[in-house]
Amino acid sequence: MNAFDLDFPAHIWAPFAQGRPPIRCSPGYLIYLQGTEATCFYYLKEGQVRSFIQSEDGAERALNVYGPGSLFGEASFFDELPRVSSAVALTSCEIVAIDRELVTEEIEKDPELALAMMKYLARTVRLLSTQLDQMAFRPAQWRIARYLLSLSPTGGPVRCTQEDIASSVSASRVTVSRVLSQLARQGIIELGYSTIFVWDIEALKKTCQI
């Protein structure tokens, strides 16, 4: 999963990428910055991208992690207001910038894309509402387990730091460290340098049932 999955077929936005060379980004590359003008949005062809908001004092809060086949940065593009979040490449990525000319051209070819886009935007709103509910009412162990599942739905390595998790799930660094250590003692995960290995995916899923 992605806990943040918008549940759209991976191929649905592929027309946006046809005939346009992708932009290749290294891990850590800042794709766009909160408060700037949104002249385009993006199709993620390969890799993972994290969106986040930043307060005036520099504190960050993760909003979403996007995988291949996703669109991101579209809300500010359509409402023509400054971006409300920033986006950074978590891994090596290939992205395609979609401007007004391209989106108009593709929708003219396939009007169903317009309806799909409306559904996508509506699900984004629903997604953020769900995240707010989770952050407000779920215990930290549930939120952390859910976050790990979002990045590794079938198990294996999760490349993130404890600071990344803390900002994503609205928990303190100390709380994240305590929960991860407990999961490691149970053999569910193994802690490495900037990497968490998920070994017992079923046990991690059960943690989300508390």
Side-chain angles (χ1 to χ4, degrees):
M1 139 177 158
N2 191 317
F4 311 114
D5 192 1
L6 293 171
D7 192 28
F8 272 72
H11 66 277
I12 193 168
W13 312 120
F16 290 127
Q18 293 173 0
R20 291 219 168 185
I23 302 167
R24 291 179 171 83
C25 308
S26 300
Y29 178 79
L30 186 64
I31 299 167
Y32 58 77
L33 184 64
Q34 181 176 327
T36 59
E37 182 183 3
T39 58
C40 65
F41 62 106
Y42 297 92
Y43 171 79
L44 180 55
K45 194 171 182 180
E46 298 290 344
Q48 285 188 323
V49 168
R50 178 173 69 99
S51 64
F52 63 94
I53 56 175
Q54 192 170 43
S55 65
E56 292 183 359
D57 62 4
E60 290 185 5
R61 180 63 46 79
L63 294 177
N64 206 348
V65 175
Y66 298 93
S70 300
L71 297 181
F72 63 99
E74 75 287 347
S76 296
F77 172 82
F78 284 112
D79 71 12
E80 299 183 330
L81 293 174
R83 294 197 184 277
V84 296
S85 64
S86 302
V88 64
L90 285 178
T91 65
S92 296
C93 293
E94 291 187 5
I95 61 176
V96 177
I98 304 168
D99 56 21
R100 297 194 185 280
E101 179 182 357
L102 178 57
V103 75
T104 300
E105 177 183 320
E106 292 303 328
I107 287 176
E108 285 179 350
K109 292 179 183 176
D110 182 4
E112 290 296 320
L113 272 178
L115 180 59
M117 190 74 67
M118 291 170 63
K119 289 181 179 179
Y120 192 84
L121 289 167
R123 291 195 188 181
T124 299
V125 173
R126 185 184 297 273
L127 165 74
L128 294 175
S129 298
T130 300
Q131 284 182 276
L132 179 61
D133 170 69
Q134 292 174 358
M135 297 309 170
F137 302 112
R138 301 284 187 169
Q141 186 177 18
W142 188 98
R143 302 198 307 266
I144 292 167
R146 190 74 169 167
Y147 178 80
L148 294 176
L149 285 170
S150 76
L151 297 182
S152 182
T154 59
V158 176
R159 305 195 185 284
C160 65
T161 66
Q162 294 188 13
E163 288 78 7
D164 292 335
I165 298 174
S167 70
S168 298
V169 304
S170 273
S172 70
R173 168 72 170 71
V174 172
T175 298
V176 171
S177 178
R178 175 177 54 79
V179 171
L180 292 179
S181 295
Q182 181 181 4
L183 293 173
R185 287 195 297 272
Q186 295 171 347
I188 298 173
I189 65 170
E190 179 183 342
L191 302 178
Y193 179 73
S194 296
T195 304
I196 298 169
F197 298 91
V198 178
W199 297 131
D200 192 338
I201 196 72
E202 293 305 319
L204 194 60
K205 288 178 180 178
K206 287 181 180 178
T207 301
C208 292
Q209 297 172 3
I210 61 176

